[in-house]
Amino acid sequence: MMSSATSTAKADSFDEFYTEVKEIEKRDSVLTPKQQLDRLLRPGSTYFNLNPFEVLQVEPEATIDEIKKKYRRLSILVHPDKNMEDLERAQQAFEIVNRAWKTLENDDTRKKCLDICEEAKERTDHMIEQKRKKQKKDNRSTEGIPEDDPIKYKHAIYVMTMKLFADMERKRQHLEVRDMEERKRKREAEIEQEEQKSFEKEWAKNFEESRQNRVDSWKTFQSGGGKEKKKKKIQGFKPPKPKPESR
C-alpha cells in the first residue's frame, strides 16, 4: 500500500507539473500575429474552431471578464488592419475570433459550451474507469493506463471535447437541412395551391363570359333557328321520252 508521505510527494509533484504546464500555456497563449493566424487557420481548423474556448485559448472555468480580455487581445493580433500583408487570412481569423466571443458572451450559449466540456470530462473519466476494470479483470491492474499521465489525461479530455462539439455541429447542420427541406416543401405546396386557385379563377371567369353565348345559342335552337325551313315539293314520276324508230 502506498504510504501517506509518498502520496503527498506525488501530489506535490503533480501540482508543480500542472503549474508549469499552465505557465507554458500562458506564455504561448499570445504568440505573434502570424502564429495566431497559423493556429486559427491550421489544417482541420474548422473542426478545432467549433470550441470557442479553444479559439480564445481560455479555460472553461475562466470568468467572463477574463474571456473578454483575452478576446480583445487576440482580436487585435489578428485584425486585418494589423496584417495588411496577409489580409485575406487575417479577415478569416478575425471572424473566427469574433464568432467565438459572441458564443461565450451570451449566457445561454456559454452554458451549452460549459455543459459540453463537463460532459467530455465525465465521459473521459468513465472511459478510464472502464479501462481500469478491464485491467483488473485481466489481472493487469498494476500496469496502469496511459491516462495516468496528466498530459495524456488532459489530451483525452481535449479529444473528447472536440468530438462532442463536432457532434453538436453535425446535429445543428442536420436540423438546418431538415428545416430547409420542410420550408421548401411548404413553399411548393403553397405554390401549387396558388396555381390551383388561379386556374379555378380563370376557369370561372371564362365560364361566366361564355354563359350569355350559351344562353343565346340555346334560345336560337329552341326557336328553330328563327326561320322556317322550306319543305321540298314531292314531284311525280316522269317516264322517259320515246325515241323515234329508225329503219
Side-chain angles (χ1 to χ4, degrees), residues 133-244:
K133 286 182 178 180
K134 188 176 186 307
Q135 280 193 338
K136 185 176 181 180
K137 183 178 179 181
D138 297 341
N139 295 319
R140 295 187 295 107
S141 56
T142 57
E143 295 179 10
I145 59 175
E147 288 76 17
D148 288 335
D149 182 337
I151 294 180
K152 291 182 178 179
Y153 172 67
K154 185 176 181 179
H155 180 71
I157 295 177
Y158 173 82
V159 171
M160 182 62 71
T161 303
M162 292 295 103
K163 179 182 181 302
L164 294 182
F165 270 106
D167 289 344
M168 182 180 71
E169 176 62 13
R170 279 192 291 270
K171 182 178 179 181
R172 185 195 67 78
Q173 291 179 0
H174 174 72
L175 292 175
E176 188 177 83
V177 169
R178 191 174 68 179
D179 183 57
M180 187 182 301
E181 290 176 347
E182 180 64 16
R183 289 199 303 269
K184 181 181 178 182
R185 185 191 65 77
K186 286 183 178 179
R187 182 55 187 154
E188 289 175 347
E190 288 173 358
I191 292 174
E192 184 177 352
Q193 189 175 14
E194 289 170 0
E195 290 177 346
Q196 181 64 24
K197 286 182 179 180
S198 178
F199 170 79
E200 291 174 356
K201 184 178 179 180
E202 186 69 21
W203 188 90
K205 179 182 176 183
N206 294 336
F207 181 83
E208 185 62 28
E209 289 176 349
S210 63
R211 186 173 65 85
Q212 190 59 47
N213 291 335
R214 293 195 304 276
V215 171
D216 292 343
S217 297
W218 176 251
K219 287 181 178 179
T220 300
F221 175 77
Q222 290 289 75
S223 63
K227 295 180 180 179
E228 293 184 0
K229 295 180 180 179
K230 294 181 178 180
K231 293 183 179 180
K232 292 182 179 181
K233 293 181 178 180
I234 300 176
Q235 298 178 351
F237 175 73
K238 290 182 179 182
K241 292 180 180 182
K243 293 182 180 180

Side-chain angles (χ1 to χ4, degrees), residues 36-194:
Q36 285 291 3
L37 293 182
D38 291 341
R39 179 182 71 86
L40 292 168
L41 301 174
R42 65 194 185 278
S45 59
T46 301
Y47 173 76
F48 292 111
N49 292 338
L50 293 174
N51 182 353
F53 297 111
E54 168 72 12
V55 171
L56 298 181
Q57 293 183 302
V58 292
E59 295 294 333
E61 60 271 16
T63 65
I64 190 65
D65 288 337
E66 292 171 337
I67 296 172
K68 189 174 184 178
K69 287 179 182 178
K70 191 58 182 292
Y71 156 69
R72 287 178 173 174
R73 188 184 309 143
L74 191 56
S75 63
I76 291 173
L77 284 172
V78 301
H79 197 284
D81 290 347
K82 300 291 185 180
N83 297 273
M84 298 300 291
E85 73 287 351
D86 202 356
L87 197 59
E88 184 176 346
R89 294 176 76 234
Q91 184 62 42
Q92 294 176 23
F94 187 70
E95 290 173 0
I96 291 169
V97 170
N98 275 335
R99 186 164 56 247
W101 163 243
K102 289 184 180 298
T103 299
L104 297 181
E105 179 187 28
N106 182 279
D107 291 340
D108 293 334
T109 50
R110 186 170 75 254
K111 174 68 166 53
K112 289 180 180 179
C113 292
L114 288 171
D115 289 343
I116 288 177
C117 293
E118 182 61 27
E119 183 179 352
K121 185 177 183 306
E122 291 175 357
R123 289 196 183 191
T124 302
D125 289 342
H126 178 72
M127 177 266 293
I128 291 173
E129 183 182 351
Q130 294 302 310
K131 282 187 176 182
R132 294 192 193 283
K133 286 182 178 180
K134 188 176 186 307
Q135 280 193 338
K136 185 176 181 180
K137 183 178 179 181
D138 297 341
N139 295 319
R140 295 187 295 107
S141 56
T142 57
E143 295 179 10
I145 59 175
E147 288 76 17
D148 288 335
D149 182 337
I151 294 180
K152 291 182 178 179
Y153 172 67
K154 185 176 181 179
H155 180 71
I157 295 177
Y158 173 82
V159 171
M160 182 62 71
T161 303
M162 292 295 103
K163 179 182 181 302
L164 294 182
F165 270 106
D167 289 344
M168 182 180 71
E169 176 62 13
R170 279 192 291 270
K171 182 178 179 181
R172 185 195 67 78
Q173 291 179 0
H174 174 72
L175 292 175
E176 188 177 83
V177 169
R178 191 174 68 179
D179 183 57
M180 187 182 301
E181 290 176 347
E182 180 64 16
R183 289 199 303 269
K184 181 181 178 182
R185 185 191 65 77
K186 286 183 178 179
R187 182 55 187 154
E188 289 175 347
E190 288 173 358
I191 292 174
E192 184 177 352
Q193 189 175 14
E194 289 170 0

